[in-house]
Amino acid sequence: MMDGSAFLNETAHRIADDMAGNAEHLRITVAEGPMGARLIDAGAAVLGSIEAGLGIARATMGGLGEVNAAIDRTAEKWPLNIEVRSSQPVLACLASQYAGWSLSDGGYFAMGSGPARALARVEPLFSSLGYRERADAAVLVLETSEPPVEAIVEKVSQATGVAADRLTFIYAPTQSLAGTVQIVARVLEVALHKANDLGFPLERIVDGAGAAPLPAPHPDFLTAMGRTNDAIIYGGIVQLFVKGPAADAEALAEKLPSSASREYGEPFSDIFKRFKGDFYAIDPLLFSPAEVIVTAIETGETFRSGGRDLAMLERCLG
């Protein structure tokens, strides 16, 4: 098993410190929460910002990813793209960024992402990742408009082995500027997650980059969630650099785009309604970028599949 010491959490903790030190500039707030945990509100009771969302995305990747906003002059209506790159994509995206930790207590519920997951290792995914951390400080990002209650703080502390007053919770709802940014910044992560679901050996994915358009946030949760998913499903592009036979790279490229899903072709909010809000009933092959490029670095061959659907983006992103 790979032992990362405390790299992901230590680096994310420094990113969170920088965010806290620039709270006024980022339009976020910092407060002490239950059991002394640090709470950073990036979009619930505050306006937040695109820059705050970029900071959240960098923290969720444990500092192993570059996340930036850039203008795509070829796009007319939604030219601002969120660009992501990592030379440790499996660790950055799956061991850290993936929102795989379900946290609930009474009426409270949030999905947790970020490097604290690599300490808790409560998700089945970690059995295949072979990665473990030990740290005395941890960062967890919550997709919610409510700060974590004491029972959640205690649960995270126990699962991670980190004292509550050394935990940082960054939270922002999907409807916020920062929440929209950090979700769209998962364009590379969804490609890695689908590659794993398809059985492609993760150790052969050595580098990756992706981009997706940034939609406008919306006050309605379902609409906001639909837009962030549609930005990736119909507008995302990812390039993966992989080791191994070119035939395997070609097969991955063919299977990876969102168009390989039977659900492809509708706005995500409509799909979600059709499945009566059961997220897990939706075809998991849908959750991937629109366009995929896979480069076999040992043969020099590159394979492309899928493509951005500009008409769907115009329809879905508002």
Side-chain angles (χ1 to χ4, degrees), residues 23-63:
E24 184 176 357
H25 169 68
L26 297 175
R27 298 195 294 264
I28 63 178
T29 58
V30 184
E32 183 176 313
M35 304 174 67
R38 177 169 62 174
L39 307 181
I40 298 179
D41 178 357
V46 298
L47 181 59
S49 60
I50 289 174
E51 189 62 35
L54 296 175
I56 295 174
R58 295 175 188 129
T60 61
M61 298 182 80

Side-chain angles (χ1 to χ4, degrees), residues 242-271:
V242 304
K243 297 186 295 184
D248 291 354
E250 183 177 20
L252 179 62
E254 290 176 354
K255 297 174 183 176
L256 208 50
S258 54
S259 55
S261 168
R262 63 179 179 271
E263 310 297 352
Y264 183 88
E266 295 180 67
F268 184 79
S269 59
D270 290 351
I271 297 171

